[in-house]
Amino acid sequence: MRVISQSELLRATKFELQVLLREIAAMLPHLPEGSHELRIAHYNLHNIRLAIARPELRPR
């Protein structure tokens, strides 16, 4: 698993972020405890949740 960059997360739609969140969350039980991949998965999940929570910057 690779770290997903902030720029990738900023370009993704809310729907894409939610799909990615579900995919990574589904992988968690299959990753070895204490592994580098598990740490990356948790880091990605945290950043995806932050990206989902960001306000929409749309003109009014």
Side-chain angles (χ1 to χ4, degrees):
M1 177 169 296
R2 66 180 185 81
V3 174
I4 302 169
S5 71
Q6 291 294 324
S7 62
E8 288 177 274
L9 294 175
L10 290 173
R11 286 192 306 264
T13 65
K14 296 274 184 180
F15 178 76
E16 292 169 335
L17 292 171
Q18 291 170 345
V19 169
L20 192 55
L21 183 79
R22 283 190 211 107
E23 288 175 356
I24 294 173
M27 293 170 55
L28 288 179
H30 306 288
L31 297 174
E33 190 173 330
S35 69
H36 185 66
E37 291 83 12
L38 184 62
R39 284 190 298 260
I40 291 173
H42 282 289
Y43 179 76
N44 284 337
L45 288 175
H46 174 74
N47 286 335
I48 292 167
R49 287 183 183 114
L50 290 176
I52 289 172
R54 76 177 182 261
E56 291 292 325
L57 300 176
R58 295 182 183 166
R60 294 183 181 200

